[in-house]
Amino acid sequence: MKGLAVAASVLALAAAAGSASAAFQSSVSRISADVRERVVGSSWHSGCPVPLRKLRYVRVSIHKFDGSKRQGRLIVHRTQAHKIVKVMHKLWRADYPIRRMRLVDAYGADDDRSMKADSTSAFNCRYVARTSGWSMHAYGKAIDLNPVENPYVSGTHVSPKKGAKYADRCCHRAIIRAGDKVVRAFASVGWGWGGSWSGGTRDYQHFSTTGG
């Protein structure tokens, strides 16, 4: 009996350890010297509307498509950092999958390359496509989530091209739909969704403080 009790205790401890290792983890920090070296001249450059001191490096736990658990990385505005941690915690608890979450600098700050890789990303000092106006990404106040499964759709144009099969919003567990757990999570911190735009354009991957 004593042996059984010891075995039961060991199993309980192992279960607790497993649960702890699977717990959501996050951190928010200033832009460190090594991250600064990586982003300056890439996603950030002189003339950007937000100085580096107003940006924060955020790490959060994510569920990958293959069921594994990893730490994703984002850069966002300092006023939004803890809000985004809150959102990502909600998505973690809901088991929402994210293929990958890397700084856009991993793709040379090229938005098209980042989307093609289906990488969830936030800060990138760039203009809105085909305009001379700053994107909300340039302020660290926007996130593109699983861009292949949630593409930008305007008429017959779909970006990234790999997302064309999801333009009709079928069928993948990472697809975002009106009123679902993802939209509600972002709405809880005041962020709007590009999938609710009026007219013939929908940016299903896009969330921002303005919704635009």
Side-chain angles (χ1 to χ4, degrees), residues 22-59:
F24 178 81
Q25 297 179 16
S26 66
S27 66
V28 174
S29 59
R30 294 177 180 272
I31 303 300
S32 64
D34 60 327
V35 174
R36 177 188 291 267
E37 183 177 355
R38 185 177 185 187
V39 304
V40 171
S42 180
S43 62
W44 189 92
H45 51 79
S46 178
C48 289
V50 176
L52 282 173
R53 61 183 173 79
K54 291 189 177 181
L55 297 174
R56 294 293 181 266
Y57 183 67
V58 176
R59 297 182 65 181

Side-chain angles (χ1 to χ4, degrees), residues 13-190:
L13 288 172
S19 176
S21 67
F24 178 81
Q25 297 179 16
S26 66
S27 66
V28 174
S29 59
R30 294 177 180 272
I31 303 300
S32 64
D34 60 327
V35 174
R36 177 188 291 267
E37 183 177 355
R38 185 177 185 187
V39 304
V40 171
S42 180
S43 62
W44 189 92
H45 51 79
S46 178
C48 289
V50 176
L52 282 173
R53 61 183 173 79
K54 291 189 177 181
L55 297 174
R56 294 293 181 266
Y57 183 67
V58 176
R59 297 182 65 181
V60 291
S61 299
I62 60 173
H63 295 285
K64 300 266 287 181
F65 279 13
D66 63 4
S68 64
K69 298 167 177 57
R70 294 287 187 273
Q71 282 281 298
R73 295 161 176 79
L74 295 168
I75 291 178
V76 298
H77 195 279
R78 65 184 181 186
T79 62
Q80 305 302 311
H82 290 286
K83 293 181 181 180
I84 291 308
V85 168
K86 179 181 177 181
V87 170
M88 293 302 161
H89 193 186
K90 287 177 180 287
L91 300 191
W92 171 268
R93 292 201 309 263
D95 291 326
Y96 178 76
I98 296 175
R99 186 183 298 277
R100 58 179 55 90
M101 183 184 287
R102 305 180 69 187
L103 302 187
V104 72
D105 307 277
Y107 306 97
D110 186 317
D111 190 48
D112 290 331
R113 285 181 58 198
S114 181
M115 287 194 297
K116 184 178 180 180
D118 205 13
S119 181
T120 293
S121 64
F123 175 77
N124 191 9
C125 186
R126 64 174 177 81
Y127 296 130
V128 175
R130 296 176 293 281
T131 78
S132 58
W134 290 116
S135 163
M136 291 306 293
H137 289 279
Y139 297 91
K141 296 181 177 181
I143 289 175
D144 289 339
L145 186 61
N146 287 330
V148 169
E149 292 73 27
N150 300 289
Y152 172 91
V153 180
S154 184
T156 59
H157 174 72
V158 179
S159 182
K161 290 182 179 179
K162 290 169 63 176
K165 63 182 178 180
Y166 301 114
D168 63 356
R169 315 314 292 140
C170 180
C171 301
H172 196 284
R173 60 199 176 103
I175 285 174
I176 303 166
R177 296 183 175 85
D180 72 4
K181 58 195 174 187
V182 180
V183 175
R184 294 197 307 272
F186 278 96
S188 73
V189 297

Side-chain angles (χ1 to χ4, degrees), residues 152-157 197-204:
Y152 172 91
V153 180
S154 184
T156 59
H157 174 72
W197 292 353
S198 60
T201 298
R202 300 286 188 277
D203 198 353
Y204 294 112

